[in-house]
Amino acid sequence: MKGHFGNYGGQFVPETLMYPLEELEAAYRTAQADPAFQGRLDYLFHYYSGRPTPLYHAERLTEAWGGGKIYLKREDLNHTGAHKINNCLGQGLLAERMGKKRIIAETGAGQHGVATATVCALLGLDCDVYMGEEDIRRQELNVFRMQLLGACVVPVSSGSKTLKDAINEAMRDWVTNVRTTYYMLGSVLGPHPYPAMVRDFQAVIGREARAQIIEAEGRLPDVLIACVGGGSNAMGLFHTFVPDTTIRMIGVEAGGRGPQLGDHAARFSGGAPGVLHGTFSYILQDEDGQVVPTHSVSAGLDYPAVGPEHASMHDTGRVEYTSINDDEALAAFHELSHLEGIIPALESAHAVAEAKKLKVGTEQIVIVNLSGRGDKDVTEVARLMKLKL
C-alpha cells in the first residue's frame, strides 16, 4: 500500500490536507529525479552544513569500557549542532521549489526549530515554530537562537506542553493556511510522504558512515546504535545498512523515570499500535485508547509515538529496541564529556549509554550516532545536578 511500511504508516488526516499531501509527494518525486535539485542540496550539505561529518574512533571511551571498538558518527558537528539540518535543507529547497513563502514547524529539544529557522533565513522564507511551554523552559538557549534567526516561536500551553502538543498546533495551522504554508515536519513521523521523505534526506548519515568505516577498518561494522524519539537520526543511520542482515541495529528509546505509563517514552515496551498525527504506529496510550503523557530528561525523545518505519522494523525484528533511563543518560552525558571532550545532546547520550551496556567482544566494531551536541542541555543538566545535591 502507498505510504505504508508493513502494516504501519498511511494518511490519517482531514480531507483538507489530502490535496497538499498529494502535491507534496508529487513535488518530492519530481525533485528526487532532478539532478539540479540534488546538486544544490549536495552543495549546501558540503559548503553550508559542513558534510561529510567525521566518523571518530573514541579511543578513551573504548579503553574505559573494555568492549567493542567504538566509533562516533559526529552529527553534532553539523551547522546548527545536530542532524536536523540535513532534513531542513532538503525540505527548504522543496518548499522553495513549490513556491511556498511561509514555513511552519514543531520542535521539542529546539534543534529542529533552530535548523528550520536557519534554512528559512538562508532562503528568505517566513518562519513560525511551535514549541511547548515546558520545552521552552528546558531549552531557553535554542528559543533565543530561533528568534535571533528571525523565526517567531509560538508557545503551546495545552496538554503536557511538549512535542506532541506542538505538533497538534502546527497541524492546525497547516489546515488553516494550507495554500501559502509549507509544514516542515522534523522527523520520520506524520502522514505519507513525510516518513519516507525525511528518512531519505537523513540517509546521508548512513551512506557516509558506510564509506568511512570501510576506509578506517576495511570492513562493515558489527553494531549500529542510535537514539529514537520520532526516529529520524536512527533511520538516517540504519537505512543504508538494512540489507546487511549480519549487522545488529539498536534503537534506544527514553526509559525516563521508570516503567509506569506517564514516566517514560518507550513506545515498544509500553505502547500499542494506534493513530497519532496522521500515521498508524506504536503509541503510548491507556486502556481507552487515550494518548498518555510522556517523560524524558531529553526534550527530543519526549514523544508518545514513533515513526511507522520503526514500528515495522520492530515487528520484523530487523532492529532491536531498548530503553535507557534518565539517570543512565545523564551518566553517559558526563562520561563522554570527561573521557573524550565531547558534550553530547541528552538525546544522543541515550545511545552512548546503550553502547556502554552492550556486551560484545573487543574485536567488534560499534558505530554510535552522536546526533547532536549538548550545548542546549548544559543549563538543564546543571539544574538537575543542583536538585540532587
Side-chain angles (χ1 to χ4, degrees), residues 181-303:
T181 297
Y182 182 99
Y183 182 17
M184 193 176 287
L185 189 59
S187 195
V188 287
L189 297 167
H192 176 71
Y194 282 107
M197 182 172 70
V198 175
R199 176 204 66 204
D200 291 348
F201 286 137
Q202 293 291 1
V204 64
I205 301 170
R207 290 196 301 271
E208 287 179 3
R210 187 185 186 93
Q212 289 166 328
I213 197 64
I214 289 173
E215 181 180 1
E217 294 285 347
R219 68 178 183 89
L220 292 176
D222 299 287
V223 187
L224 305 174
I225 306 176
C227 66
V228 178
S232 65
N233 93 86
M235 202 54 70
L237 176 64
F238 295 164
H239 183 61
T240 304
F241 294 94
V242 168
D244 301 293
T245 54
T246 59
I247 298 176
R248 287 179 68 190
M249 301 193 293
I250 304 174
V252 187
E253 298 185 286
R257 293 180 293 246
Q260 296 298 314
L261 273 181
D263 284 344
H264 64 85
R267 288 67 48 102
F268 292 121
S269 60
V275 173
L276 183 65
H277 296 141
T279 195
F280 182 67
S281 187
Y282 276 77
I283 301 170
L284 288 167
Q285 52 192 315
D286 62 22
E287 293 177 355
D288 298 320
Q290 297 298 306
V291 176
V292 299
T294 55
H295 164 78
S296 172
V297 70
S298 56
L301 303 186
D302 198 354
Y303 181 66

Side-chain angles (χ1 to χ4, degrees), residues 93-102 125 179-181:
L93 293 181
L94 193 58
E96 182 184 60
R97 185 185 183 98
M98 295 171 71
K100 306 287 187 180
K101 302 297 185 184
R102 175 177 179 255
L125 303 171
R179 290 189 178 181
T180 59
T181 297

Side-chain angles (χ1 to χ4, degrees), residues 58-112:
E59 293 186 44
R60 278 172 50 78
L61 210 61
T62 299
E63 183 181 354
W65 291 352
K69 191 173 186 179
I70 297 170
Y71 281 85
L72 305 176
K73 182 56 174 161
R74 298 291 308 276
E75 289 301 292
D76 58 311
L77 294 179
N78 272 310
H79 179 43
T80 73
H83 70 292
K84 294 293 186 180
I85 192 71
N86 304 327
N87 172 52
C88 289
L89 284 170
Q91 288 202 55
L93 293 181
L94 193 58
E96 182 184 60
R97 185 185 183 98
M98 295 171 71
K100 306 287 187 180
K101 302 297 185 184
R102 175 177 179 255
I103 304 296
I104 58 171
E106 82 298 329
T107 198
Q111 286 303 127
H112 176 59

Side-chain angles (χ1 to χ4, degrees), residues 131-138 155-158 160-162:
M131 190 172 190
E133 288 182 345
E134 169 62 11
D135 292 337
I136 287 175
R137 180 196 66 76
R138 291 193 282 190
V156 177
S157 59
S158 59
S160 59
K161 306 176 186 179
T162 57

